[in-house]
Amino acid sequence: MREILVSIYLFYVKLWFSIFKLFPLKNKTVFVSSFGDNIDFVRRNVIEKTEHRTVILHIPGTKGNFKTGKRIRVISFDMLRMPISYIVGIYHLATSRFVFLDNYYGFLSVTSFKKDVTCVQLWHANGAIKRFGLKDPLIKFRTKRAYRRFRSVYSRFDRIVVGSHEMANIFKLAFNINDDVILKTGIPRTDIFFDYTEQEKIKGMLQNKYPIIKQKKVILYAPTFRAHQLKRHSIKLNIKKLYEELKDDYVFMLRLHPAIMNRYKNNYPDFIIDVSDYPDVNHLLFVTDILITDYSSIPFEYALLEKPMIFYPYDLEEYKVTSGLWKDYEELVPGPIAYNTNELMDIIKDNNKDLSRIKEFSKLWNKYNDGNSTDRLIAYLYHEKKF
């Protein structure tokens, strides 16, 4: 039944795309946005440094506050709720010279762009611990038709932007692509990690929003999602014990993955700040003193700040089977590992935090991220300047 519904949807997209493909291309750039951050950096640069009009196809639930304005049009890209708007979005996809994406989109399997169109994947992760794409262990449960669709989507990417050689290798495996697709200009959203004036503004804004972080150190706990916990998520920590042991010196920011549907019930508002709905996770990193995570891609950018990280993969053996890892977990992560609340607290209280592994980790995974990634990307794509 799922495949039948997908086929009907794709027939609808293909029909309209084929019609609009008869129209001439225009000096226009389309962004298909799920995560918003990379899209926002590139969108602003396109407006500033090119003559292109821009169109943002806004996926429901997208982060970022995009508004229609001069040379910017924002369109809700939701076929079920706004079918006319969706058709308009397909028109823009078929008539734009550049198409930027930040996620996997099934409709690409039936959108064969003209040869003068460049489709650029601005993937939402700077690095990867868990497997995805064609190397996702769950792909073996999908139909042959679905597998062909995945391959077709990945074949649409003319360029995939990376911040490191390591991530380039992962994309080649995950999307079955060649070296000539990889664009080593760096990840646009990492530019802010080199803009210290902007960072100070953001810190001040967050301190005004959450005054308690002025007096205490900040721990940010940002676990990734588990497929079986999307609707009913539970925090696998003894929050009461953390509160009793750490409340005098720390505040505990909690950021659940965007895919999680239920909100966290906060019984310790003087200790826990739920920042799951805060639009830009990088902002939170600037006020974070210790990051706790598991299989998320957050450490790859947090490493640029050269601050402590703790890894809490409480279900590591299970996760290896259900989601898969690109490398051995203990060798990949650049910080101490805890498997229960007591171990986690011991590491937090240990003041001897060696940052040398984090620095080496950052050199490896942020090789092309130097504060000029967006400029380099625009210069290469729009002005044909080599680097």
Side-chain angles (χ1 to χ4, degrees), residues 127-358:
I129 293 175
K130 58 186 176 183
R131 290 177 178 260
F132 59 91
L134 299 176
K135 295 301 181 179
D136 185 336
L138 297 180
I139 202 170
K140 62 185 177 183
F141 299 111
R142 303 301 297 271
T143 65
K144 290 182 179 179
R145 179 180 291 183
Y147 184 82
R148 289 195 298 270
R149 186 168 63 248
F150 300 152
R151 292 285 297 266
S152 181
V153 170
Y154 303 146
S155 71
R156 300 286 182 242
F157 307 153
D158 297 303
R159 292 287 185 269
I160 300 176
V161 178
V162 301
S164 67
H165 181 69
E166 293 291 310
M167 196 59 183
N169 287 336
I170 286 176
F171 278 133
K172 285 189 284 187
L173 294 171
F175 295 157
N176 190 35
I177 58 169
N178 298 319
D179 274 319
D180 58 356
V181 177
I182 300 298
L183 191 54
K184 299 175 181 179
T185 51
I187 304 301
R189 70 165 178 261
T190 63
D191 287 348
I192 197 172
F193 285 82
F194 300 87
D195 187 341
Y196 304 111
T197 300
E198 185 64 20
Q199 285 184 39
E200 289 304 314
K201 290 180 183 177
I202 291 168
K203 288 179 184 178
M205 178 190 67
L206 286 169
Q207 288 171 349
N208 289 332
K209 186 176 180 66
Y210 310 113
I212 193 172
I213 68 175
K214 293 180 182 179
Q215 290 84 34
K216 298 181 180 181
K217 293 181 179 179
V218 175
I219 297 172
L220 175 63
Y221 180 42
T224 195
F225 73 93
R226 278 77 171 164
H228 63 282
Q229 292 187 5
L230 294 183
K231 293 185 178 179
R232 293 186 60 83
H233 186 271
S234 59
I235 307 298
K236 301 299 183 180
L237 282 169
N238 187 333
I239 297 296
K240 183 175 184 292
K241 193 162 191 176
L242 287 174
Y243 173 74
E244 292 171 347
E245 296 277 346
L246 302 175
K247 68 179 187 302
D248 292 337
D249 300 311
Y250 292 93
V251 61
F252 195 86
M253 282 188 167
L254 174 65
R255 184 175 179 84
L256 299 179
H257 192 277
I260 303 299
M261 298 179 189
N262 66 309
R263 295 185 63 84
Y264 174 72
K265 185 178 180 181
N266 190 358
N267 295 317
Y268 303 94
D270 59 333
F271 175 61
I272 294 177
I273 303 174
D274 187 352
V275 292
S276 301
D277 292 333
Y278 189 84
D280 193 328
V281 66
N282 280 347
H283 289 188
L284 302 175
L285 299 183
F286 300 142
V287 297
T288 296
D289 295 289
I290 301 174
L291 172 68
I292 301 174
T293 188
D294 42 30
Y295 318 105
S296 168
S297 62
I298 291 178
F300 297 93
E301 287 170 28
Y302 188 64
L304 286 164
L305 300 174
E306 298 183 355
K307 293 193 286 187
M309 301 182 220
I310 304 172
F311 293 85
Y312 184 57
Y314 60 84
D315 56 352
L316 181 58
E317 296 307 314
E318 177 186 353
Y319 204 86
K320 286 179 182 178
V321 175
T322 58
S323 296
L325 305 177
W326 288 108
K327 291 184 178 181
D328 181 75
Y329 189 83
E330 290 81 359
E331 293 181 8
L332 175 59
V333 299
I337 300 172
Y339 295 99
N340 57 57
T341 301
N342 287 336
E343 291 179 0
L344 189 63
M345 286 196 300
D346 288 343
I347 296 171
I348 292 171
K349 292 178 179 179
D350 181 8
N351 291 322
N352 183 24
K353 295 183 172 59
D354 183 7
L355 300 180
S356 59
R357 286 182 63 193
I358 292 174

Side-chain angles (χ1 to χ4, degrees), residues 29-189:
T29 298
V30 164
F31 299 92
V32 189
S33 176
S34 284
F35 289 81
D37 41 15
N38 273 325
I39 294 292
D40 191 43
F41 273 87
V42 177
R43 185 265 308 172
R44 283 185 275 140
N45 214 298
V46 168
I47 291 173
E48 179 184 345
K49 297 183 178 179
T50 79
E51 299 299 319
H52 276 224
R53 290 187 296 117
T54 60
V55 178
I56 296 174
L57 303 186
H58 197 268
I59 305 295
T62 295
K63 294 181 178 180
N65 187 25
F66 299 115
K67 295 180 180 179
T68 293
K70 186 178 180 181
R71 291 170 56 206
I72 305 170
R73 184 175 181 184
V74 181
I75 297 174
S76 179
F77 204 53
D78 187 341
M79 187 180 74
L80 293 179
R81 296 177 184 174
M82 302 186 71
I84 302 301
S85 177
Y86 194 86
I87 293 172
V88 174
I90 295 173
Y91 162 76
H92 287 294
L93 279 171
T95 57
S96 295
R97 294 192 181 277
F98 289 93
V99 176
F100 287 89
L101 321 158
D102 64 0
N103 208 344
Y104 170 92
Y105 298 106
F107 65 80
L108 290 172
S109 64
V110 294
T111 54
S112 179
F113 296 109
K114 293 181 179 180
K115 63 181 180 66
D116 292 330
V117 175
T118 302
C119 180
V120 184
Q121 176 61 258
L122 294 168
W123 193 249
H124 50 274
N126 181 37
I129 293 175
K130 58 186 176 183
R131 290 177 178 260
F132 59 91
L134 299 176
K135 295 301 181 179
D136 185 336
L138 297 180
I139 202 170
K140 62 185 177 183
F141 299 111
R142 303 301 297 271
T143 65
K144 290 182 179 179
R145 179 180 291 183
Y147 184 82
R148 289 195 298 270
R149 186 168 63 248
F150 300 152
R151 292 285 297 266
S152 181
V153 170
Y154 303 146
S155 71
R156 300 286 182 242
F157 307 153
D158 297 303
R159 292 287 185 269
I160 300 176
V161 178
V162 301
S164 67
H165 181 69
E166 293 291 310
M167 196 59 183
N169 287 336
I170 286 176
F171 278 133
K172 285 189 284 187
L173 294 171
F175 295 157
N176 190 35
I177 58 169
N178 298 319
D179 274 319
D180 58 356
V181 177
I182 300 298
L183 191 54
K184 299 175 181 179
T185 51
I187 304 301
R189 70 165 178 261

